[in-house]
Amino acid sequence: MMKDLIFATNNTHKLDELRQILAGRYNVLSLNDIDCHEDIPETAPDIEGNAVMKAQWVHEHYGIDCFSDDTGLEVDALNGEPGVRSARYATDGHDSEANIDKLLGKLQGVTERSARFRTVIALIRDGELHTFRGEVEGEILTERHGMGGFGYDSVFRPVEGDGRTFAQMSAEEKNAISHRGRAVARLCEFLNP
Ligand code: IMP
């Protein structure tokens, strides 16, 4: 029988991707699938702490193996901001357009625009915690380019690539070099050796 594994998210795009990769090995359940509609605490000072906090919370409440992910954009000229606050940089909600406006405003006139996305995945399997990381280096442009992706994609140009932003790439192109793609690959190597 296939083992249940909770992915502490309701993001259908992320779920589809993981279900595809782990098909036949794990039955990947979302928070909706387990009827969890609570606000899981995410109050740690860094993305690693938040990923671990979410996975531990779900494991404690549901007793099923579980993993969660957390991502942040770190801009060097802003001392690593927005970092752990990437989703709620400008407002309390997840308003990506307002977040980008705030970021571009803070970087007005700044020429050193290096940045990176970092993802941490925390897995609790058989009661043990494992973490997996992924990073991608790039720079923040001065204006938006491209319509694809989400979040800060339209202003992030990865160093590896041909000059396009993440928002100008297909999902496959982005996943092949992205922070989350790399962290997910490491998780899957571990689960699916
Ligand atoms: P989450 O931890 O995946 O929810 O990501 C937190 C925030 O980081 C999101 O609300 C987005 O603003 C941003 N973010 C995460 N992943 C990406 C990405 O792949 N591209 C652009 N922005 C991202």
Side-chain angles (χ1 to χ4, degrees):
M1 212 183 70
M2 262 198 303
K3 225 176 160 184
D4 286 343
L5 180 64
I6 300 172
F7 185 1
T9 187
N10 283 319
N11 179 318
T12 46
H13 176 83
K14 292 185 190 174
L15 277 164
D16 286 347
E17 183 181 282
L18 265 290
R19 282 187 174 133
Q20 216 168 17
I21 299 171
L22 297 173
R25 292 282 306 244
Y26 287 90
N27 183 31
V28 180
L29 303 169
S30 68
L31 292 175
N32 280 333
D33 291 334
I34 58 165
D35 261 332
C36 171
H37 305 291
E38 275 160 274
D39 246 344
I40 302 176
E42 279 187 72
T43 52
D46 53 40
I47 58 168
E48 169 153 12
N50 274 341
V52 171
M53 191 179 271
K54 280 187 278 185
Q56 279 175 339
W57 190 95
V58 172
H59 185 254
E60 273 163 25
H61 287 74
Y62 293 87
I64 301 174
D65 288 349
C66 167
F67 67 93
S68 73
D69 72 335
D70 204 43
T71 294
L73 172 67
E74 296 175 356
V75 180
D76 292 325
L78 302 176
N79 297 317
E81 264 191 43
V84 70
R85 300 195 301 129
S86 293
R88 298 181 181 82
Y89 193 37
T91 68
D92 236 11
H94 293 243
D95 185 341
S96 292
E97 293 314 310
N99 287 340
I100 291 176
D101 286 339
K102 177 166 177 178
L103 183 65
L104 295 184
K106 286 212 171 194
L107 289 176
Q108 215 152 26
V110 177
T111 49
E112 161 34 36
R113 304 179 74 95
S114 58
R116 72 203 51 76
F117 278 113
R118 289 209 312 123
T119 293
V120 177
I121 293 177
L123 166 73
I124 298 179
R125 192 178 67 166
D126 301 329
E128 277 184 28
L129 173 69
H130 306 267
T131 55
F132 306 90
R133 286 173 184 70
E135 292 190 19
V136 60
E137 297 287 334
E139 63 176 329
I140 305 299
L141 303 184
T142 53
E143 51 187 47
R144 293 162 170 85
H145 294 271
M147 305 291 286
F150 71 102
Y152 298 91
D153 276 347
S154 64
V155 293
F156 185 84
R157 177 160 68 193
V159 167
E160 305 148 75
D162 55 11
R164 285 178 296 161
T165 65
F166 271 163
Q168 292 172 305
M169 296 183 183
S170 68
E172 290 72 26
E173 286 174 310
K174 179 185 165 188
N175 287 339
I177 58 168
S178 81
H179 46 303
R180 195 167 27 257
R182 287 174 170 154
V184 164
R186 291 182 178 132
L187 168 74
C188 293
E189 264 166 46
F190 179 82
L191 290 174
N192 228 355

